[in-house]
């Protein structure tokens, strides 16, 4: 990794002209967003060319000052790269339907999912070993008498009845080819993405097979698949086929790009709230967190079907879904995660959540806390997003939305360490 010349950028920040020119052959239309102020980075991930690398961190991972410093003097860069690579790896492995879009984006550049499935098979069962039986007519080998009597032509020779040619049994092991396919998939991926994966490689020579001929490899795998019956073996072959179908031999660069990091931010904040949130101070509106990670809250994305016609058959109605809804004691919390570079407009959706749900109290008198949770490179910041004037409130009603900014690096580290 240290041999590369690194350029460090950040999702949502202005793309400098020299960087855009240097990597123009590697950027796609999705990588850059443009407006009247300029072009902006629009992904989290990395592009490795033969000698250079551009790494895009999540929004507010660095302050502007720190970003400038690390580009001038990248000595401690690996300390920052490691959590980024780990969060990418975690997103590949995590069984979460809400992160499906992230997985699809990661797998678009390389068949990581197929690799993980093959590697998990290897960890659990080792290299593939499967023996199958072939029956054929011949003269050299073990004779299967029952099959010979049923299938071989009957020949009369000097008054003797002969079954010729007899049916022979041959045992064929497919483990050599499939095991070498597994070794190629595992070792090649670990070697290419050694900065991502610290897995041990497979000790099996596979260079006697031409793995550049994908069509031939896939054809052989499909032929073998016809003779297998166990689901675990069939899934293994299917994963190998998927890998070789999507492997790009011609590319001279490596890349992983995530365009939906907001989904990872939502998942990280959900974990942080459920494990560390204590309360909101009713006087200062400060959000208080603990240090142990032993809280057991149940902040969840919750759907509310509010239309009175929702039970009418054949009629389409709508629902609202706050990112995090939670009731505890005399308090109701309605939070929304926002993966923003900056807040520059009123969040009407969060306002609607309050007014649509303020009477949903299950017979209790609950105080509602409304908040937006955003990333920052600072320690922690609180800001009022909206405070409804008393002129428009009911008696004794107070409604405001607080913006809580949590440190991006800390949230990532907690997510990686404790979840």
């Amino acid at each position: 990794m240290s041999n590369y010349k690194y350029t460090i950028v950040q999702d949502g920040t202005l793309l400098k002209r020299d960087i855009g020119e240097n990597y123009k052959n590697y950027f796609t239309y999705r990588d850059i967003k443009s407006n009247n102020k300029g072009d902006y980075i629009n992904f989290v991930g990395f592009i490795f060319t033969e000698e250079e690398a551009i790494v895009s961190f999540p929004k507010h991972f660095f302050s502007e000052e720190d970003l400038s410093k690390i580009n001038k003097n990248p000595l401690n860069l690996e300390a920052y790269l490691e959590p980024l690579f780990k969060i990418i790896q975690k997103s590949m492995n995590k069984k979460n339907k809400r992160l499906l879009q992230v997985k699809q984006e990661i797998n678009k550049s390389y068949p990581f999912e197929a690799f993980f499935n093959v590697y998990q098979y290897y960890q659990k069962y080792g290299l593939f070993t499967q023996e199958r039986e072939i029956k054929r007519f011949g003269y050299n080998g073990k004779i299967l008498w029952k099959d010979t009597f049923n299938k071989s032509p009957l020949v009369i020779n000097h008054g003797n009845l002969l079954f010729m040619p007899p049916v022979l049994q041959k045992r064929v092991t497919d483990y050599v080819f499939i095991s070498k396919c597994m070794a190629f998939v595992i070792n090649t991926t670990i070697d290419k993405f050694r900065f991502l994966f610290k897995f041990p490689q497979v000790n099996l020579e596979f260079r006697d097979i031409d793995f550049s001929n994908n069509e031939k490899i896939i054809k052989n795998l499909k032929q073998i698949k016809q003779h297998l019956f166990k689901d675990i073996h069939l899934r293994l072959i299917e994963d190998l086929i998927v890998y070789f179908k999507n492997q790009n031999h011609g590319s001279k660069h490596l890349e992983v790009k995530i365009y939906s990091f907001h989904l990872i931010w939502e998942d990280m904040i959900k974990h942080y709230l459920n494990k560390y949130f204590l309360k909101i101070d009713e006087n200062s509106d400060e959000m208080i967190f603990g240090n142990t990670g032993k809280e057991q809250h149940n902040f969840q994305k919750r759907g509310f079907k509010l239309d009175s016609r929702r039970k009418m058959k054949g009629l389409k109605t709508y629902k609202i879904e706050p990112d995090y809804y939670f009731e505890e004691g005399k308090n109701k919390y309605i939070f929304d995660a926002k993966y923003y570079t900056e807040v520059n407009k009123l969040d009407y959706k969060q306002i609607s959540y309050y007014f649509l749900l303020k009477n949903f109290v299950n017979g209790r008198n609950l105080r509602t806390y409304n908040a937006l949770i955003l990333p920052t490179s600072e320690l922690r910041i609180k800001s009022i997003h909206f405070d409804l004037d008393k002129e428009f409130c009911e008696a004794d009603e107070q409604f405001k939305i607080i913006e809580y900014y949590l440190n991006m690096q800390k949230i990532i580290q907690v997510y990686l360490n404790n979840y």
Side-chain angles (χ1 to χ4, degrees):
M1 290 174 64
S2 58
N3 294 329
Y4 282 100
K5 178 185 176 183
Y6 281 95
T7 299
I8 306 303
V9 296
Q10 204 160 237
D11 189 14
T13 57
L14 192 66
L15 175 66
K16 294 181 179 179
R17 184 174 296 179
D18 60 327
I19 298 174
E21 188 65 27
N22 195 33
Y23 288 93
K24 64 182 179 181
N25 293 331
Y26 304 101
F27 286 146
T28 68
Y29 75 97
R30 292 191 69 184
D31 299 343
I32 309 298
K33 271 190 175 180
S34 302
N35 58 30
N36 56 3
K37 294 181 179 180
D39 298 327
Y40 294 83
I41 301 291
N42 189 46
F43 71 94
V44 172
F46 53 82
I47 304 170
F48 281 88
T49 68
E50 292 180 322
E51 296 179 348
E52 297 182 309
I54 183 169
V55 182
S56 179
F57 283 84
K59 294 176 181 178
H60 297 289
F61 192 92
F62 298 109
S63 66
E64 288 186 15
E65 182 181 355
D66 288 341
L67 189 62
S68 176
K69 284 181 180 178
I70 203 164
N71 272 299
K72 290 177 181 177
N73 185 18
L75 288 178
N76 297 320
L77 180 58
E78 290 203 18
Y80 299 111
L81 290 175
E82 185 176 358
L84 175 63
F85 294 155
K86 282 185 176 179
I87 204 79
I88 293 172
Q89 185 181 343
K90 192 179 188 74
S91 301
M92 296 178 197
N93 277 325
K94 202 162 186 290
K95 293 181 179 179
N96 184 335
K97 289 183 180 179
R98 288 197 52 75
L99 294 181
L100 180 61
Q101 186 174 342
V102 175
K103 285 186 177 182
Q104 290 172 341
E105 291 167 358
I106 293 172
N107 277 289
K108 191 170 182 181
S109 57
Y110 192 86
F112 287 107
E113 187 172 6
F115 158 72
F116 274 116
N117 291 340
V118 172
Y119 196 80
Q120 286 168 4
Y121 178 100
Y122 170 68
Q123 285 184 309
K124 192 170 184 179
Y125 304 106
L127 292 172
F128 180 88
T129 55
Q130 174 72 18
E131 190 176 63
R132 58 187 171 92
E133 181 183 80
I134 294 179
K135 298 176 182 179
R136 59 181 178 81
F137 294 112
Y139 295 97
N140 294 317
K142 181 181 177 181
I143 297 176
L144 296 174
W145 291 108
K146 185 176 179 180
D147 290 291
T148 298
F149 294 148
N150 291 331
K151 298 178 180 178
S152 294
L154 184 60
V155 177
I156 300 175
N157 184 21
H158 301 296
N160 296 316
L161 295 177
L162 301 175
F163 293 90
M164 298 181 63
V167 177
L168 303 179
Q169 178 192 60
K170 183 181 180 182
R171 295 282 181 181
V172 177
T173 54
D174 295 316
Y175 75 90
V176 174
F177 178 72
I178 296 177
S179 292
K180 289 188 176 184
C181 287
M182 291 175 65
F184 175 83
V185 169
I186 293 170
N187 291 2
T188 301
T189 302
I190 292 173
D191 189 53
K192 278 186 176 181
F193 297 93
R194 55 191 177 276
F195 46 86
L196 261 182
F197 307 119
K198 306 299 182 184
F199 303 154
Q201 294 192 350
V202 178
N203 186 21
L204 180 67
E205 179 58 61
F206 54 78
R207 286 175 294 182
D208 55 317
I209 297 177
D210 180 12
F211 282 105
S212 66
N213 191 341
N214 282 20
E215 290 185 6
K216 185 176 180 181
I217 298 295
I218 292 169
K219 182 180 178 181
N220 290 341
L221 288 169
K222 286 181 176 179
Q223 288 175 346
I224 293 171
K225 186 180 177 184
Q226 296 174 6
H227 302 285
L228 300 177
F229 303 98
K230 289 186 178 180
D231 288 342
I232 54 169
H233 296 156
L234 292 171
R235 284 196 296 269
L236 171 64
I237 301 302
E238 191 56 42
D239 286 321
L240 290 171
I241 291 172
V242 168
Y243 178 89
F244 288 109
K245 277 184 177 179
N246 293 279
Q247 186 197 26
N248 184 1
H249 286 291
S251 178
K252 291 185 178 180
H253 74 282
L254 302 173
E255 66 178 35
V256 172
K257 299 173 185 175
I258 298 174
Y259 305 103
S260 303
F261 197 86
H262 66 280
L263 297 175
I264 298 176
W265 175 247
E266 288 175 13
D267 198 52
M268 292 193 297
I269 293 301
K270 177 183 173 182
H271 163 253
Y272 195 63
L273 289 172
N274 283 328
K275 296 294 185 182
Y276 291 88
F277 176 79
L278 296 179
K279 64 178 182 178
I280 292 181
D281 187 280
E282 62 181 18
N283 297 314
S284 66
D285 288 325
E286 289 290 345
M287 188 178 282
I288 311 298
F289 293 97
N291 297 316
T292 64
K294 294 181 179 179
E295 305 302 320
Q296 295 183 355
H297 299 310
N298 191 30
F299 284 92
Q300 294 284 350
K301 180 180 281 291
R302 181 168 172 181
F304 293 89
K305 296 181 179 180
L306 308 177
D307 197 315
S308 61
R309 306 165 300 161
R310 63 187 179 275
K311 295 182 180 179
M312 295 175 62
K313 290 184 177 180
L315 181 66
K316 182 179 181 181
T317 58
Y318 301 93
K319 65 180 179 180
I320 61 172
E321 282 188 319
D323 279 350
Y324 317 107
Y325 182 92
F326 178 55
E327 295 176 8
E328 183 179 53
K330 295 182 179 180
N331 298 319
K332 178 199 298 185
Y333 303 101
I334 306 175
F335 298 160
D336 214 37
K338 298 296 182 186
Y339 179 66
Y340 288 170
T341 303
E342 61 179 346
V343 177
N344 51 27
K345 60 183 178 180
L346 182 63
D347 196 309
Y348 295 100
K349 186 173 71 170
Q350 197 66 16
I351 294 174
S352 71
Y353 288 161
Y354 170 77
F355 285 101
L356 290 172
L357 296 174
K358 72 174 184 175
N359 294 318
F360 181 73
V361 293
N362 295 327
R364 295 175 293 159
N365 184 21
L366 300 179
R367 176 172 178 173
T368 300
Y369 291 96
N370 237 293
L372 306 176
I373 303 178
L374 305 102
T376 181
S377 58
E378 308 298 324
L379 289 178
R380 202 156 77 193
I381 306 171
K382 181 196 72 176
S383 176
I384 294 177
H385 178 75
F386 180 77
D387 193 353
L388 186 62
D389 194 295
K390 294 290 185 182
E391 183 179 350
F392 299 95
C393 294
E394 295 179 3
D396 299 325
E397 182 182 29
Q398 183 182 22
F399 170 62
K400 57 184 171 182
I401 300 173
I402 310 294
E403 297 172 5
Y404 294 101
Y405 292 82
L406 303 181
N407 182 269
M408 174 63 86
Q409 290 191 35
K410 180 180 179 180
I411 294 298
I412 289 177
Q413 202 60 57
V414 169
Y415 185 69
L416 292 175
N417 290 344
N418 300 295
Y419 194 33

